[in-house]
Amino acid sequence: MNHKLFSPYTIKNVTFKNRIVMAPMCMYSSHEKDGKVQNWHRTHYTSRAVGGAGLIIIEATAVTPQGRISDRDLGIWNDVHIEGLSELVTSMKEQGAKTGIQLAHAGRKATVDGEILAPSAIPFNETSKTPKEMTKDEIAETVHAFKEGARRAKEAGFDVIEIHAAHGYLINEFLSPLTNKRVDEYGGHAENRYRFLKEVIAAVKEVWDGPLFVRVSANDYHEEGLKPEDYAEMAKWMKADGVDLIDVSSGGVVPASIPVYPGYQVTFSEIIKHGADISTGTVGLITSGWQAEEILQNNRADFIFIGREFLRNPYWPRTAAIEIGAEIEPPKQYERGW
């Protein structure tokens, strides 16, 4: 059998050895609150490279200090962050993984001290801080911050950039009619709500010519919110603007009851992939090799993003290979135990 899970895939000039991606997951471990890489990050990410991931996308990395989800998030708002990120990239690449970074701004879901920003002055819930509605100057400054983050990511040596437009963070807040109540050119109909992401993509591409991913929340789980079909249409715009892959997640823009079950987001990936004719990755309660293989064989996604299962098992690719009967090459140091 031709196991797709362990087949290579090429985007632009980057070939991934398999379809297994370690999804970005916040580690809240920049203990000095300065956004810099710590020993935990070096140990955590490098061990998953040894474990066989084809691509590792490190956690949401803030393009501005006030855009952090927490004050212990990694940052890329200053050139001083490049050195630590570069060391991390080198370590992962030495172990055979391609490397990615998720550029992020938390918007109204930031929990840092001081003023927080959003497209509209609407708090996430009754216990959350009320954000300031962004001025056009602040929008332009934030677009520039994403561009500068991309420049630094390139200098650090990453293979992939992912723009975080999901989970209720800033870009997602612009996209959703539930959180964007603006009356200027950044609000109203879908094309206007897309404008901020469009400008971020264009700014990033001024300094970045490698593979470009965008993570989306394909379902707001609200009757007046966005659905996968809406994102299939927006994915056409993203493709035209130069995005190579949509990383399909869901939820987070407003408090909601989400029906969670194995592979619950795969259908969203399928709708976007075929609706926009674009490569997709799918994520969410994918835990077994056969489950991942089914998704790929049935052309429902092109990459399998593994999150919590990689927290439980740094060597999940080997576990999946044994399950489906695929042969993969171990690290030479581990051959005796293979």
Side-chain angles (χ1 to χ4, degrees):
M1 177 182 176
N2 176 25
H3 296 100
K4 273 197 168 184
L5 188 59
F6 293 98
S7 65
Y9 195 89
T10 300
I11 298 177
K12 289 182 174 168
N13 60 336
V14 178
T15 297
F16 307 92
K17 66 181 180 182
N18 59 42
R19 311 293 186 91
I20 300 169
V21 180
M22 181 177 169
M25 291 174 283
C26 289
M27 290 290 105
Y28 309 111
S29 294
S30 187
H31 302 300
E32 301 301 318
K33 302 183 181 182
D34 56 6
K36 292 183 180 179
V37 169
Q38 300 294 321
N39 283 339
W40 171 260
H41 301 101
R42 298 179 180 95
T43 301
H44 170 68
Y45 290 113
T46 304
S47 65
R48 274 70 185 175
V50 172
L55 169 64
I56 296 171
I57 303 179
I58 70 168
E59 61 206 79
T61 304
V63 298
T64 70
Q66 76 164 181
R68 289 174 290 175
I69 300 166
S70 82
D71 60 11
R72 295 175 187 269
D73 289 2
L74 287 182
I76 197 165
W77 64 79
N78 192 296
D79 284 356
V80 301
H81 294 124
I82 296 172
E83 182 179 3
L85 292 168
S86 179
E87 292 171 357
L88 191 55
V89 165
T90 298
S91 182
M92 290 188 285
K93 286 186 175 183
E94 283 178 352
Q95 305 307 323
K98 299 299 183 185
T99 60
I101 185 169
Q102 186 183 66
L103 301 182
H105 189 297
R108 71 175 187 172
K109 295 179 87 173
T111 61
V112 293
D113 293 334
E115 188 175 71
I116 60 173
L117 302 176
S120 300
I122 306 168
F124 177 69
N125 59 30
E126 60 275 6
T127 62
S128 298
K129 189 186 299 184
T130 298
K132 175 183 181 290
E133 180 171 313
M134 296 173 77
T135 65
K136 290 182 183 177
D137 284 345
E138 287 166 336
I139 288 173
E141 289 165 4
T142 306
V143 169
H144 183 70
F146 272 95
K147 177 181 175 179
E148 286 294 280
R151 174 186 62 79
R152 296 180 184 111
K154 183 174 183 177
E155 289 186 31
F158 285 98
D159 300 297
V160 170
I161 285 177
E162 176 169 280
I163 297 169
H164 198 354
H167 300 163
Y169 300 125
L170 183 64
I171 297 175
N172 193 183
E173 292 162 20
F174 271 93
L175 295 175
S176 176
L178 301 174
T179 45
N180 184 345
K181 304 297 183 181
R182 299 179 72 93
V183 295
D184 62 7
E185 64 267 37
Y186 291 95
H189 58 75
E191 289 87 347
N192 275 6
R193 287 184 276 110
Y194 175 72
R195 189 182 306 276
F196 179 62
L197 175 55
K198 183 181 182 71
E199 291 179 358
V200 169
I201 292 168
V204 167
K205 287 185 67 64
E206 286 180 29
V207 296
W208 177 261
D209 58 2
L212 182 61
F213 297 2
V214 174
R215 172 165 269 198
V216 302
S217 279
N219 194 333
D220 288 346
Y221 299 103
H222 188 287
E223 60 183 12
E224 297 174 10
L226 297 177
K227 306 292 189 293
E229 292 76 13
D230 299 310
Y231 273 99
E233 189 64 26
M234 278 194 279
K236 294 177 185 177
W237 305 340
M238 291 184 224
K239 181 179 179 180
D241 290 336
V243 172
D244 300 296
L245 180 139
I246 308 297
D247 171 7
V248 184
S249 187
S250 69
V253 75
V254 293
S257 176
I258 300 175
V260 175
Y261 51 85
Y264 70 104
Q265 295 173 146
V266 175
T267 300
F268 307 155
S269 166
E270 197 170 8
I271 289 169
I272 292 170
K273 175 177 170 60
H274 298 292
D277 188 27
I278 192 169
S279 297
T280 62
T282 188
V283 65
L285 286 183
I286 300 169
T287 58
S288 76
W290 279 122
Q291 183 187 11
E293 187 67 25
E294 178 275 321
I295 293 164
L296 297 171
Q297 289 288 350
N298 286 315
N299 201 26
R300 307 174 76 190
D302 301 283
F303 284 92
I304 305 298
F305 281 63
I306 300 294
R308 295 178 196 183
E309 199 63 22
F310 254 131
L311 299 183
R312 291 185 280 265
N313 180 4
Y315 303 97
W316 185 83
R318 179 172 187 254
T319 301
I322 292 171
E323 181 185 346
I324 67 177
E327 290 189 14
I328 61 172
E329 187 176 342
K332 292 190 182 302
Q333 298 92 331
Y334 289 177
E335 284 179 351
R336 286 173 293 177
W338 213 254

